[in-house]
Amino acid sequence: MSVDHLDELHGLPAFDFPLPDEETELPGPDAVAWRISYNPYRDESGEDFDGRFQRFLTEVDPSRVRALIIGMWGETYEGDAADAIERLLAAKDRLTSLEAVFLGDIAQEESEISWIQQSDVTPILHAFPGLRELGVRGGSGLSFPAVTHPHLRTLRFETGGLPGAVVRGVAASHLPALEHLEMWLGVEEYGGDTTVADLAPILAGGTFPALRHLGVRNSEIQDEIAAAVAAAPVVAQLESLDLSMGVLTDEGAAALLDGRPLTHLKRLGLDHNYFSAAVEERLRTALEPFGVVVEMSEKGDEDEDEGEVFRYTAVSE
């Protein structure tokens, strides 16, 4: 699976803030999600990330900006996201309408997801109490100590390896408005050491009373996760559940079918799976008559070597 640039954020279309020599008509400050990015390998303008961000604050009324997408801030495998976060925090008194931030909108052609050096991203939440959405791409160096935030509705982590400490930090956070939680767990080789035990407080329900969508995706232990989800009290409060992109086999599907009822869901995401045709039919027969949209069209890749089968998550390196 290719990891591409965002098309939108917070319901707003993404718009690339132009290079200094580009003659581009700028949209209204609140009409788009502004993408600020600096690629040192392709950008010959002489303007680095800091210069671009400062020019953005000058040419666009920051008090009306609702959504910001932070792309490359330089050589992402050498410099972490801390400097980009500092630029954002320094402008907090000017970005008074900011509702959404995505940190690390870096496409695969620019940098593999595992090369993106992240940082502690919770200062963004402390600086912007009105934030509604926070998304992060890249798990290397990522930190998320427990935080309290009254208004955050969407929290998303896209990684090829999500540290278990991040999941534990999320689970220990007080986020009473959180409706949408998505986590790409990735693989152990790239730092993905999250366990089912780390997810347990979230799956138990009650941690996030407003939660309506849960995505636990892109995991090499997806069958174990499916079994845990099948018995999880949190499922009863959900409208959609996404277990896609991982190594999900007939074993995990059987656990879901034998677990707590899923017939109340509007959507069940199971794309990039390793199901047999018989199990796919069982899932459709059990859920689609109740109006559940079951997504499982995409198959995962697998190799065989000397009789051993190797299966892969959708995103790792």
Side-chain angles (χ1 to χ4, degrees):
M1 172 182 167
S2 175
V3 180
D4 300 319
H5 288 301
L6 298 185
D7 294 324
E8 60 89 25
L9 179 67
H10 203 52
L12 299 170
F15 182 86
D16 291 293
F17 184 65
L19 297 175
D21 57 352
E22 286 185 275
E23 294 185 4
T24 303
E25 183 176 352
L26 300 181
D30 55 357
V32 299
W34 295 89
R35 179 162 34 230
I36 317 296
S37 186
Y38 163 67
N39 186 334
Y41 310 109
R42 300 180 182 177
D43 194 329
E44 299 178 354
S45 68
E47 181 181 60
D48 61 10
F49 180 84
D50 181 46
R52 187 150 304 158
F53 192 74
Q54 296 307 319
R55 184 166 57 85
F56 165 74
L57 295 174
T58 300
E59 296 184 7
V60 176
D61 181 358
S63 68
R64 294 175 54 199
V65 171
R66 296 176 56 206
L68 274 178
I69 300 171
I70 306 300
M72 291 189 74
W73 48 79
E75 295 182 350
T76 55
Y77 61 88
E78 291 187 355
D80 63 28
D83 285 346
I85 293 173
E86 282 299 317
R87 301 296 176 270
L88 188 60
L89 301 188
K92 66 183 180 65
D93 293 334
R94 303 173 68 185
L95 294 163
T96 52
S97 298
L98 193 63
E99 296 177 337
V101 172
F102 190 94
L103 182 67
D105 181 37
I106 299 167
Q108 189 170 10
E109 63 185 23
E110 297 170 321
S111 173
E112 298 289 354
I113 196 169
S114 64
W115 300 357
I116 301 171
Q117 299 298 308
Q118 277 294 347
S119 180
D120 180 358
V121 298
T122 57
I124 298 173
L125 294 175
H126 292 300
F128 296 96
L131 208 67
R132 301 293 191 269
E133 181 171 350
L134 176 63
V136 181
R137 182 175 294 165
S140 182
L142 180 63
S143 175
F144 194 95
V147 66
T148 295
H149 196 285
H151 301 300
L152 192 71
R153 298 175 184 170
T154 296
L155 181 60
R156 184 161 92 242
F157 299 99
E158 300 180 358
T159 81
L162 186 64
V166 171
V167 177
R168 293 191 294 273
V170 171
S173 294
H174 181 56
L175 305 171
L178 191 68
E179 300 173 355
H180 182 114
L181 175 61
E182 181 174 331
M183 299 175 288
W184 298 11
L185 302 189
V187 301
E188 187 174 4
E189 182 179 358
Y190 293 106
D193 59 0
T194 298
T195 66
V196 171
D198 294 329
L199 295 164
I202 298 171
L203 299 181
T207 301
F208 304 125
L211 194 68
R212 296 297 177 265
H213 171 83
L214 176 62
V216 185
R217 311 174 68 190
N218 197 51
S219 172
E220 60 187 347
I221 59 166
Q222 205 73 348
D223 280 345
E224 294 178 45
I225 290 169
V229 167
V234 75
V235 171
Q237 72 185 68
L238 300 179
E239 295 180 355
S240 61
L241 173 65
D242 197 334
L243 302 177
S244 64
M245 297 172 61
V247 184
L248 189 59
T249 71
D250 286 0
E251 179 183 345
L256 289 173
L257 287 167
D258 294 338
R260 289 175 177 264
L262 302 174
T263 51
H264 65 288
L265 295 176
K266 295 179 181 179
R267 184 177 73 86
L268 177 61
L270 302 174
D271 269 339
H272 190 276
N273 63 67
Y274 296 87
F275 298 156
S276 65
V279 164
E280 283 194 12
E281 183 59 29
R282 279 189 64 197
L283 284 162
R284 294 195 187 281
T285 300
L287 298 174
E288 288 183 344
F290 293 91
V292 183
V293 176
V294 185
E295 300 172 348
M296 51 182 174
S297 58
E298 182 184 342
K299 289 296 180 185
D301 297 324
E302 64 181 16
D303 296 324
E304 185 172 349
D305 183 21
E306 297 182 354
E308 186 174 2
V309 176
F310 298 90
R311 298 186 174 101
Y312 306 96
T313 60
V315 175
S316 54
E317 185 184 10

